[in-house]
Amino acid sequence: MNVQARTWRIRATGVWLGPMRLILLTVLTMTAFAANSILNRLAVDSGGIDPASFAMIRVLAGAVALCMILTVRGGGLPLIARGRIVGAASLAAYMIGFSLAYVTLDAGLGALILFGTVQVTMFGWSALRGAAPTPRQLLGAGGAFVGLLLALWPSDAGGGNLAGALLMVIAGLGWAAYTIVGKGAQDP
């Protein structure tokens, strides 16, 4: 069987083989991220729910999903561990900053600030830990940093509310910290 045939063939499990799988999973992930920002903005901007209640519903939904996964898997969850506490604090920073920021920011600007902050923070963390960046990583981090500067630069056209932007930066820092802590988890 040639490479192209293997790439497009579907296994009995329904998982796609080859580079198409990565492309489709990336598209699905980016769509979910965009939907998350849009739904949050719609919920808090319309006045249908306040940011704190919206964040609490998201946390409770995540906790229910985690409990269901653990029940099916048959494992426990050690709650009192250093990594768990740092993870919980960083997740709280993300949830609170994210929900409050969308009171004043458009969904697109908020997503740009959030993803740019996560990208720059994780790149900086890796560099501080001694990782040698590749040219592609430097280009990506540079692009993210320039995007953040443009989004946050004061102008007459109005790039968004400064308090909202700072809250979204806090959310991005929380997300990055949560990811960094999670990389060291033995059983995420």
Side-chain angles (χ1 to χ4, degrees):
M1 181 182 297
N2 67 28
V3 174
Q4 188 174 14
R6 277 185 283 156
T7 300
W8 292 95
R9 188 172 65 96
I10 299 176
R11 284 195 238 162
T13 60
V15 177
W16 289 24
L17 300 174
M20 284 303 295
R21 178 177 184 226
L22 177 63
I23 291 168
L24 290 173
L25 289 175
T26 300
V27 167
L28 178 64
T29 301
M30 296 307 294
T31 302
F33 284 150
N36 184 36
S37 293
I38 291 168
L39 291 173
N40 194 324
R41 173 73 172 140
L42 287 172
V44 299
D45 187 48
S46 69
I49 192 168
D50 64 283
S53 298
F54 190 77
M56 187 58 64
I57 289 170
R58 292 178 68 204
V59 169
L60 290 174
V64 167
L66 179 61
C67 287
M68 289 176 11
I69 291 168
L70 289 173
T71 300
V72 169
R73 208 175 81 177
L77 179 65
L79 295 177
I80 307 299
R82 187 177 147 230
R84 299 274 186 218
I85 294 169
V86 173
S90 59
L91 182 60
Y94 162 72
M95 296 295 283
I96 293 167
F98 186 84
S99 295
L100 291 174
Y102 275 125
V103 172
T104 59
L105 294 179
D106 290 335
L109 179 59
L112 177 65
I113 294 169
L114 178 69
F115 298 140
T117 301
V118 172
Q119 173 83 17
V120 170
T121 302
M122 294 190 65
F123 178 80
W125 178 257
S126 293
L128 286 173
R129 307 278 295 172
T134 65
R136 279 178 50 183
Q137 289 172 325
L138 288 171
L139 183 64
F145 188 68
V146 168
L148 279 174
L149 288 177
L150 290 173
L152 298 175
W153 198 265
S155 71
D156 292 335
N161 180 287
L162 182 60
L166 290 174
L167 285 165
M168 194 58 81
V169 167
I170 290 169
L173 292 171
W175 182 352
Y178 186 76
T179 302
I180 290 165
V181 169
K183 284 178 83 173
Q186 296 297 322
D187 185 11

